[in-house]
Amino acid sequence: MIEMRLRRVAVNQTKLLLRMPQLYQIFLCLLPLLPSLWVLLHLLSADVNSTPSSASNAAAAPSTGAQLLLFTALGSLGYFMTNRLIPNIKSYMIKRGICGKDLGKKGSKNEDVDVPEALGIVPGAIFLICLIFCLVGFATNHPSKLLDLNSALLSICFMLFLGFTDDVLEWPWRYKLFLPSVASLPLLCCYNGSTSVVVPIPLRHLLMHQGSLTDLGSTLCRFVEIDHNAEGAIINLGRFYLLYMGLLAVFCTNAINIHAGINGLEVGQSYIIGCAVLFHNLVEIQSDSLSRENHVFSAMILLSFLGVSSALLRHNWYPSSVFVGDTYCYFAGMTFAVVGILGHFSKTLLLFFIPQILNFLYSTPQLFKLIPCPKHRLPRYNAKTGKMEPSKVIVDEKNERVNMTLINLCLQIFGPMSEERLCIALLAFQMFSCALGLYFRYYLAQMIFD
């Protein structure tokens, strides 16, 4: 009897140890989402405590909290559908030859294992299905947003198609820069928000002084419109603002694509950015801001996006059993561009892309061919130590230098580390940057702007 009990205890301990990595992954996945869940619970409790004043109110449109709860349920359904479909679709990808080797495992026992590529098509397709169902309910209560929903579907569907064809055909970079701007045209055509920006308080004297335009203000008035009544506090950029939003779509789609190369990083950074944007939306909804309807629209899209992305992250986490490909990067980037443009917070959106901006600026010499740029700049796996090390590129016959990416820079600063630990470090920096962006938006901005 004692031996049998000891065996049962040993079996239970073994099962617990096997589940520990899964529990650890669940904790990492829930951590960025906790602030949004907290605000969402407050919104739901506020709806429960509020009582309809009449029968006509009871028969009115569902409350914001009820709508968000429905969108959360659709996002959860998207998670289960994506998680169920990925194992089936990846076998088809291998049969069709849409697979590759994990270059980060070169020199290990898994270097010759075929890993299916372009699995971002699965969450992308499920996301579109969820969004179509959201369209039915959301457009019923918000008929003015029907055009925005259709343009969002068109832009995201276009980029999903472009990403999948890029994974199969490997488009040149000139197409990757041009086509996202074409995909953003439906968003810009239906954009009906403001094209003005608020000038920081310390810079306003450069435009107007004692009610008159300065030389700089007069020069700028040839291209933009400065509000004289606001004493230079507001500038209407007009078409230049539309140009900025078009470039924002190009940046979002490509910024995630170049900040990649290790298991879990593409989906992980997108998931964290999505959680930060969702938190911003829910805070604005809770504060009953003037653009409340736009933030509900953005939250609706992001809840489905986070559901399908978390399912993909489960399969793409180290050691990855699937590659997300450019399909997911373009799909995720355009989703952020959609919520930023149609949610009317395109300037705030950039605050959540601090690591991507730093990576782009740091990579500029290689991206513009001032320094040789190889096709893959991901870190090198050292089979002896089992850790990732910075990869290098040959500059000339005698010199070589480290590839200029944020991933390699992290390894230069903190030293070699395992691929999983490297991914966690980069995602931790992404979380810190998003928190810093929220702090700037809600605290520091009050000191710089009125």
Side-chain angles (χ1 to χ4, degrees):
M1 292 292 294
I2 296 177
E3 291 182 358
M4 291 181 64
R5 289 179 181 177
L6 290 174
R7 288 179 182 176
R8 289 177 182 175
V9 171
V11 170
N12 291 333
Q13 289 179 346
T14 303
K15 290 181 179 179
L16 181 62
L17 289 173
L18 291 174
R19 290 178 182 175
M20 283 298 290
Q22 296 179 358
L23 296 174
Y24 179 63
Q25 293 173 14
I26 293 173
F27 170 75
L28 291 178
C29 192
L30 288 177
L31 185 61
L33 195 59
L34 288 177
S36 298
L37 292 176
W38 181 74
V39 180
L40 182 58
L41 288 175
H42 272 261
L43 286 170
L44 293 174
S45 62
D47 286 345
V48 171
N49 294 331
S50 62
T51 55
S53 58
S54 63
S56 60
N57 288 337
S63 64
T64 302
Q67 293 180 56
L68 292 173
L69 188 62
L70 177 61
F71 300 148
T72 304
L74 278 172
S76 302
L77 181 62
Y79 168 84
F80 290 111
M81 292 175 63
T82 304
N83 187 51
R84 183 68 183 272
L85 276 177
I86 285 178
N88 297 330
I89 300 299
K90 70 179 185 180
S91 61
Y92 287 105
M93 293 294 189
I94 293 177
K95 289 180 182 178
R96 294 295 181 182
I98 307 177
C99 56
K101 312 294 183 184
D102 192 340
L103 298 179
K105 307 291 188 301
K106 194 172 183 180
S108 68
K109 61 180 180 180
N110 297 323
E111 65 173 333
D112 294 325
V113 176
D114 288 328
V115 181
E117 295 181 335
L119 261 294
I121 192 66
V122 178
I126 299 298
F127 171 81
L128 291 176
I129 294 173
C130 293
L131 206 58
I132 289 172
F133 280 104
C134 288
L135 185 149
V136 176
F138 188 81
T140 302
N141 302 318
H142 307 273
S144 62
K145 303 295 289 184
L146 183 59
L147 180 61
D148 288 355
L149 274 167
N150 288 326
S151 63
L153 279 169
L154 180 59
S155 296
I156 294 173
C157 189
F158 182 89
M159 289 308 299
L160 189 67
F161 171 75
L162 173 64
F164 187 73
T165 56
D166 184 30
D167 284 328
V168 176
L169 303 175
E170 296 186 0
W171 295 110
W173 267 104
R174 57 181 178 272
Y175 297 121
K176 298 180 184 181
L177 295 176
F178 170 71
L179 291 176
S181 59
V182 176
S184 67
L185 290 179
L187 306 177
L188 302 181
C189 289
C190 71
Y191 179 76
N192 59 357
S194 173
T195 57
S196 299
V197 295
V198 180
V199 180
I201 295 175
L203 301 179
R204 291 175 187 175
H205 72 280
L206 299 176
L207 303 179
M208 292 194 69
H209 182 66
Q210 296 180 352
S212 302
L213 289 172
T214 62
D215 293 338
L216 177 61
S218 300
T219 303
L220 288 177
C221 278
R222 298 178 181 179
F223 308 98
V224 297
E225 181 181 348
I226 299 177
D227 191 341
H228 291 68
N229 296 326
E231 293 293 330
I234 298 176
I235 297 179
N236 185 2
L237 298 179
R239 294 181 180 180
F240 290 103
Y241 194 83
L242 298 178
L243 176 63
Y244 156 75
M245 291 190 292
L247 295 176
L248 178 68
V250 177
F251 172 77
C252 289
T253 52
N254 288 283
I256 296 174
N257 194 24
I258 64 175
H259 185 42
I262 59 175
N263 293 170
L265 183 57
E266 298 98 318
V267 191
Q269 64 180 300
S270 302
Y271 179 79
I272 292 172
I273 294 172
C275 289
V277 177
L278 177 62
F279 178 74
H280 167 64
N281 294 146
L282 294 178
V283 169
E284 292 295 313
I285 293 170
Q286 188 181 38
S287 63
D288 203 14
S289 67
L290 296 176
S291 56
R292 179 187 179 99
E293 185 182 38
N294 295 323
H295 287 286
V296 173
F297 171 81
S298 174
M300 173 198 69
I301 294 177
L302 287 172
L303 285 167
S304 295
F305 174 77
L306 292 176
V308 299
S309 294
S310 56
L312 180 61
L313 183 59
R314 181 180 178 184
H315 296 271
N316 185 241
W317 190 256
Y318 180 89
S320 175
S321 61
V322 299
F323 289 150
V324 300
D326 292 342
T327 307
Y328 179 81
C329 296
Y330 292 164
F331 151 61
M334 184 52 71
T335 301
F336 292 136
V338 164
V339 298
I341 294 173
L342 299 183
H344 299 180
F345 57 93
S346 56
K347 299 181 292 294
T348 302
L349 181 66
L350 281 180
L351 295 175
F352 307 123
F353 278 81
I354 294 176
Q356 288 72 26
I357 295 173
L358 293 176
N359 183 63
F360 171 75
L361 294 176
Y362 183 59
S363 301
T364 299
Q366 283 193 302
L367 295 178
F368 289 95
K369 305 297 184 180
L370 301 177
I371 296 175
C373 183
K375 182 179 180 180
H376 299 290
R377 299 184 296 164
L378 68 161
R380 181 178 61 88
Y381 176 76
N382 190 328
K384 295 181 179 179
T385 61
K387 296 181 178 181
M388 308 297 288
E389 298 177 352
S391 60
K392 297 182 179 181
V393 61
I394 299 175
V395 179
D396 51 44
E397 295 180 356
K398 297 181 179 180
N399 299 317
E400 62 179 11
R401 64 164 301 149
V402 174
N403 281 308
M404 303 177 72
T405 65
L406 202 61
I407 303 175
N408 288 313
L409 181 62
C410 179
L411 290 172
Q412 283 182 284
I413 296 174
F414 298 103
M417 60 183 76
S418 65
E419 186 172 357
E420 184 177 21
R421 188 178 175 185
L422 175 60
C423 182
I424 293 174
L426 292 168
L427 295 183
F429 178 62
Q430 182 75 57
M431 288 183 61
F432 171 77
S433 300
C434 289
L436 188 65
L438 289 168
Y439 177 78
F440 180 84
R441 168 63 179 79
Y442 288 103
Y443 293 98
L444 292 183
Q446 297 178 4
M447 305 177 187
I448 302 175
F449 303 99
D450 293 333

